Amino acid sequence: MLINNTTWFIHIPRVAGRWVKDTLQQNFKCEHDDWYFFKGKEVGHLTYPEHEQFLHYVSFKKFCIVRDPIDRFISCITGNNKITQEKFDSIMKSQDYLNEYLNNHVLNDVTNWYTPQTNFIDYKTKIWKLEDKFENNFYSWMEENFNLKIKKIAPMNPLHSIKNNIKINLTEKNKQYIKNYYYKDYKLLNY
């Protein structure tokens, strides 16, 4: 999403992006909502370099929010009402099953839910970690880095966090599968 024609918010799915987007829209002139498509993907969830191509390589300041990859994976799974307990157990059966499931989604899903977070960013992107919370230090960071002074805070929408009835009990082996798949996120984002 483009904010005040100066800053691009890279909305990585399942990382509080809707709340950030709602807050930004209450405070600033914003363009390019999620409902537009570019190269078969939602504009609001474009990876790098697709968002650069979409913006015609105009240089904007950029930022994103990232999240611990295991927590993000759980959010993706529990936010997907098409996943049954049986499907979840099958996905987590082995590293190969998980890789196949995630790779199919990365290639075919218009929302980029399971795409590794590092696929969204380049070296110029400023990164805020969800674990650092959205409190005064976040608002100061936004003003210092992007000259964006946030005055209104959007309420969290409970409908965005509705979960299906999947029982998530990750074993240490399951966690390792997830870490193996998202190894770049762990390495480059310091998780």
Side-chain angles (χ1 to χ4, degrees), residues 43-147:
V43 168
H45 295 157
L46 290 177
T47 58
Y48 177 84
E50 284 80 20
H51 58 74
E52 294 288 315
Q53 294 166 353
F54 176 76
L55 295 169
H56 305 288
Y57 299 99
V58 174
S59 182
F60 292 106
K61 294 178 185 177
K62 298 181 283 185
F63 78 97
C64 69
I65 314 299
V66 297
R67 179 181 195 177
D68 179 278
I70 288 177
D71 293 340
R72 181 171 175 253
F73 173 81
I74 291 169
S75 179
C76 290
I77 287 290
T78 59
N80 182 345
N81 61 8
K82 295 178 184 173
I83 298 289
T84 63
Q85 186 68 47
E86 183 179 3
K87 178 73 174 170
F88 176 74
D89 293 341
S90 174
I91 291 166
M92 298 309 295
K93 192 183 296 185
S94 72
Q95 184 73 60
D96 288 340
Y97 280 95
L98 177 63
N99 290 354
E100 181 178 351
Y101 177 79
L102 295 175
N103 286 338
N104 281 332
H105 272 277
V106 168
L107 290 174
N108 299 311
D109 186 15
V110 300
T111 64
N112 280 324
W113 269 30
Y114 294 98
T115 301
Q117 296 170 95
T118 51
N119 289 20
F120 289 86
I121 59 180
D122 68 355
Y123 72 96
K124 296 181 284 185
T125 305
K126 300 275 187 195
I127 298 170
W128 184 265
K129 289 188 173 183
L130 181 67
E131 296 80 8
D132 292 335
K133 303 185 173 106
F134 298 116
E135 296 173 349
N136 288 338
N137 54 351
F138 173 72
Y139 308 121
S140 297
W141 181 80
M142 290 293 292
E143 187 171 4
E144 289 167 13
N145 286 284
F146 309 103
N147 199 30

Side-chain angles (χ1 to χ4, degrees), residues 1 9-25 33-34 44-45 63-67 72 75 130 134 138 154 156 160:
M1 175 171 65
F9 168 53
I10 300 167
H11 181 177
I12 298 174
R14 309 311 291 176
V15 187
R18 287 185 186 157
W19 178 84
V20 171
K21 185 181 83 164
D22 290 348
T23 295
L24 293 171
Q25 288 175 328
D33 201 352
D34 292 345
H45 295 157
F63 78 97
C64 69
I65 314 299
V66 297
R67 179 181 195 177
R72 181 171 175 253
S75 179
L130 181 67
F134 298 116
F138 173 72
M156 286 287 195
H160 295 314

Side-chain angles (χ1 to χ4, degrees), residues 158-188:
L159 294 177
H160 295 314
S161 57
I162 290 176
K163 311 266 188 239
N164 69 20
N165 292 323
I166 289 267
K167 183 179 175 189
I168 301 293
N169 283 327
L170 295 177
T171 65
E172 289 306 311
K173 187 183 280 188
N174 296 152
K175 290 177 185 176
Q176 191 59 53
Y177 296 159
I178 297 166
K179 288 179 180 180
N180 291 343
Y181 188 84
Y182 292 109
Y183 72 94
K184 285 184 182 176
D185 285 358
Y186 278 95
K187 183 176 181 178
L188 299 175

